[in-house]
Amino acid sequence: MENDKEPENIPPNELQEDSTMYQMNKISTLSLSDEGNSAEIVVLSEVDEAKHDKEDNFSKISHSSVSRAPVNHLRKKLLILDLNGLLADIVSRPPKDRKADKKIANCGVFLRPFCLDFLWFCFERFEVAVWSSRKEKNVGKMVDFLMGDLKHKLLFCWDLSHCTGTTYRTLENKHKVLVFKELRTIWEKDDPNVSWKRGDYNESNTLLVDDSPYKGLLNPLHTAIYPYSYHFQDTSDHSLGPGGDLSVYLEGLAKAENVQKFVEQHPFGQRTLTEENASWDFYIEVINSLFILM
């Protein structure tokens, strides 16, 4: 079951701001390129193309390697963490009988058990980054609360503005814009202001951890895992703690030679979205809309 990561109710002014942002957002070209190799993506000219033609676009995205540049093996693997549903439960209408650990932007933030221990665990074994689909101002406040001084160890901290926007709303929340997290944005980044260079990371050493499987649909297969969402009512949750399922999984991943191979051989959490999913036609329509709008 998929879980919506954003609050169920968003003030009208914020909804309008998000919608405007993504109507104007630069749509990714989704072009795949390797040095010495290239893969051409077919742009659909008709919304009602045959289903197998539509799915061909998805196939070329998810089954292709975005970068095959040599990897700097001296670097640790890159672990990209989401916030809501993974490290905390952020609730738009906090219950009156349960005090939240923090209140941010009128939302109650409930820290997940063992969160701080888990973060130390991650920083010891990986290069760690945060990528949330929330607004920058709120992401900053949440990271300050969740991580404290550890935030200075992050490779990067990205927000909604780094996601690939669409003109669609999520199936779980009609007020929430559907966005994707494209890993190639990291892999192909060539910017002197960041602490890594193009080619340092690719599908062999990068893992996205997010509780919304649709967020990774534009990425190569087996470059993400989708843990089940944390809810504050689950007082016995131990996933991030010593011996917890996610901690044990990442311990194994840290020792593995190749992220893709490890994830393929060791499924975890929610299933990756495929044509077997009841909502597959909807997601194919969303993906093809990106090509049409190019």
Side-chain angles (χ1 to χ4, degrees):
M1 181 181 78
E2 293 181 45
N3 295 284
D4 189 17
K5 295 171 56 54
E6 294 287 347
E8 295 181 357
N9 295 285
I10 301 176
N13 61 330
E14 291 201 9
L15 172 59
Q16 183 177 7
E17 180 180 348
D18 280 351
S19 179
T20 302
M21 177 187 301
Y22 279 97
Q23 292 291 343
M24 299 177 64
N25 186 38
K26 179 180 179 182
I27 299 297
S28 165
T29 61
L30 303 180
S31 61
L32 308 180
S33 62
D34 298 331
E35 191 165 336
N37 298 284
S38 64
E40 184 180 28
I41 293 180
V42 179
V43 180
L44 297 187
S45 57
E46 299 287 344
V47 177
D48 58 349
E49 283 285 334
K51 181 177 179 180
H52 69 276
D53 290 333
K54 289 185 176 183
E55 293 190 350
D56 188 52
N57 279 335
F58 172 77
S59 178
K60 290 182 179 180
I61 295 170
S62 62
H63 291 243
S64 299
S65 296
V66 174
S67 171
R68 297 190 184 281
V71 175
N72 182 351
H73 292 287
L74 296 179
R75 283 182 175 269
K76 296 177 181 178
K77 296 179 182 68
L78 174 57
L79 184 67
I80 306 168
L81 303 176
D82 190 23
L83 296 177
N84 187 30
L86 179 66
L87 301 180
D89 187 11
I90 304 173
V91 185
S92 60
R93 294 182 178 179
K96 295 181 180 180
D97 60 345
R98 176 79 178 272
K99 184 179 180 181
D101 296 299
K102 185 76 172 180
K103 190 173 183 180
I104 298 176
N106 296 319
C107 294
V109 180
F110 295 87
L111 196 64
R112 191 171 193 172
F114 305 100
C115 179
L116 188 57
D117 291 339
F118 175 75
L119 289 171
W120 276 108
F121 164 89
C122 291
F123 279 112
E124 288 175 355
R125 292 161 178 78
F126 301 93
E127 291 284 0
V128 181
V130 162
W131 195 350
S132 171
S133 57
R134 291 173 178 268
K135 295 180 181 179
E136 180 181 10
K137 61 182 180 181
N138 294 331
V139 171
K141 293 176 182 178
M142 290 174 187
V143 169
D144 284 341
F145 170 63
L146 294 173
M147 299 188 177
D149 289 339
L150 281 178
K151 67 180 181 180
H152 300 298
K153 295 179 176 288
L154 291 171
L155 186 69
F156 62 82
C157 182
W158 283 4
D159 53 65
L160 182 67
S161 65
H162 289 86
C163 297
T164 297
T166 74
T167 57
Y168 289 76
R169 304 287 167 165
T170 67
L171 293 174
E172 299 80 15
N173 186 341
K174 66 180 180 179
H175 299 301
K176 180 183 176 184
V177 178
L178 191 153
V179 300
F180 299 111
K181 296 179 181 180
E182 285 191 80
L183 292 176
R184 76 178 189 91
T185 308
I186 302 162
W187 298 337
E188 298 183 0
K189 196 169 187 63
D190 191 6
D191 186 343
N193 296 318
V194 300
S195 59
W196 73 96
K197 62 181 183 294
R198 184 172 182 169
D200 279 344
Y201 298 109
N202 62 28
E203 67 274 15
S204 73
N205 65 355
T206 305
L207 183 73
L208 174 68
V209 185
D210 197 298
D211 68 328
S212 296
Y214 70 83
K215 294 281 181 64
L217 269 175
L218 301 187
N219 299 323
L221 292 174
H222 313 305
T223 54
I225 59 171
Y226 308 104
Y228 291 98
S229 301
Y230 165 67
H231 299 287
F232 73 89
Q233 296 93 336
D234 184 5
T235 56
S236 62
D237 180 83
H238 192 267
S239 185
L240 304 187
D245 59 352
L246 186 54
S247 295
V248 170
Y249 187 87
L250 294 179
E251 183 75 59
L253 179 76
K255 298 174 182 177
E257 182 177 348
N258 183 288
V259 168
Q260 267 190 319
K261 291 181 180 179
F262 183 88
V263 173
E264 181 180 10
Q265 296 169 3
H266 303 84
F268 182 89
Q270 302 175 71
R271 295 178 59 185
T272 300
L273 292 174
T274 67
E275 61 275 5
E276 297 178 0
N277 187 275
S279 303
W280 182 247
D281 287 345
F282 168 74
Y283 290 112
I284 286 296
E285 180 181 332
V286 176
I287 291 171
N288 278 282
S289 73
L290 299 179
F291 290 87
I292 293 171
L293 292 174
M294 278 197 325

